[in-house]
Amino acid sequence: MRGRSPLLVCAVALVIMCFGAVTGCSSGSSGGSGSAPPAARPADVGSITPCDFFTGDELSEYALHDARPVSDPRGCLWEGSAFFEGASTALTLTLLPRSADAELRTLRTASGERITERSAIGGRRIWRNTTPGNDVRCELLFSIDGSSAAVVRLSEFLGVSDVRPTQQDLCDGLDKLAPRVEGKLPAVRS
């Protein structure tokens, strides 16, 4: 009997480990109980409602309010202040019915465009547009697939506050927001 006890213990441990792997149970440190599973990505751009892009918690965290739909292409504009303290900003999400490459070709035909590719996030190619204009703004163009892309623009909300952010302030705000936006877009496809 004594010789079988370690073998029996090993067999029971093996069964428990296999059962845990099949059911998804784990006692390891890969998240543990209480950690939320990652949110599912939308299947495609058509399944995104622009003004519902951010959760209520994210709207509070980013101090965004007064969502307004913009159309053709589909988008939403929020007012906010979290990206530059003391100044009111406008954050716009626009879902484009064309690829990022097609959008880049269009942008590059206009004079004065300053477009640079920035570091990819999660394998997704992203470009920054810092074209000078009458308003202070910064944009990020996110590649999605061969027929769609997304643009996130942060600009000052003119006439609302006396404090004016610089273009670098706005680009810094978008850089902080970029990973969150990337995680809410459809998975990267070629």
Side-chain angles (χ1 to χ4, degrees):
M1 277 303 235
R2 289 184 130 205
R4 293 184 187 177
S5 182
L7 184 58
L8 181 60
V9 169
C10 286
V12 169
L14 183 60
V15 167
I16 290 171
M17 285 180 6
C18 289
F19 180 74
V22 168
T23 63
C25 299
S26 172
S27 60
S29 59
S30 62
S33 62
S35 65
R41 289 181 181 267
D44 56 31
V45 171
S47 61
I48 297 173
T49 303
C51 286
D52 293 337
F53 189 74
F54 296 112
T55 66
D57 288 342
E58 288 169 329
L59 293 173
S60 295
E61 180 183 347
Y62 307 147
L64 296 174
H65 53 87
D66 295 333
R68 285 174 238 164
V70 294
S71 60
D72 198 28
R74 300 179 330 132
C76 190
L77 179 142
W78 298 265
E79 291 180 49
S81 59
F83 301 103
F84 185 75
E85 191 173 333
S88 186
T89 56
L91 179 70
T92 308
L93 166 71
T94 305
L95 304 173
L96 303 174
R98 59 190 166 277
S99 70
D101 290 333
E103 180 68 5
L104 286 169
R105 281 192 298 276
T106 301
L107 290 172
R108 288 185 174 138
T109 61
S111 62
E113 297 293 327
R114 294 186 190 157
I115 302 163
T116 54
E117 188 163 2
R118 55 156 290 162
S119 299
I121 299 174
R124 186 181 310 276
R125 294 181 73 193
I126 303 170
W127 293 265
R128 176 183 284 158
N129 183 351
T130 54
T131 302
N134 294 333
D135 61 338
V136 178
R137 66 182 171 90
C138 186
E139 293 180 350
L140 292 178
L141 171 64
F142 292 80
S143 175
I144 296 176
D145 57 29
S147 62
S148 60
V151 174
V152 178
R153 174 191 289 180
L154 188 57
S155 59
E156 63 180 326
F157 202 83
L158 297 175
V160 177
S161 63
D162 295 329
V163 181
R164 296 191 62 178
T166 66
Q167 189 170 59
Q168 188 59 51
D169 293 327
L170 298 176
C171 287
D172 290 346
L174 277 186
D175 284 344
K176 291 176 187 168
L177 186 62
R180 301 282 281 279
V181 170
E182 192 286 324
K184 298 169 88 54
L185 293 172
V188 177
R189 290 176 287 203
S190 48

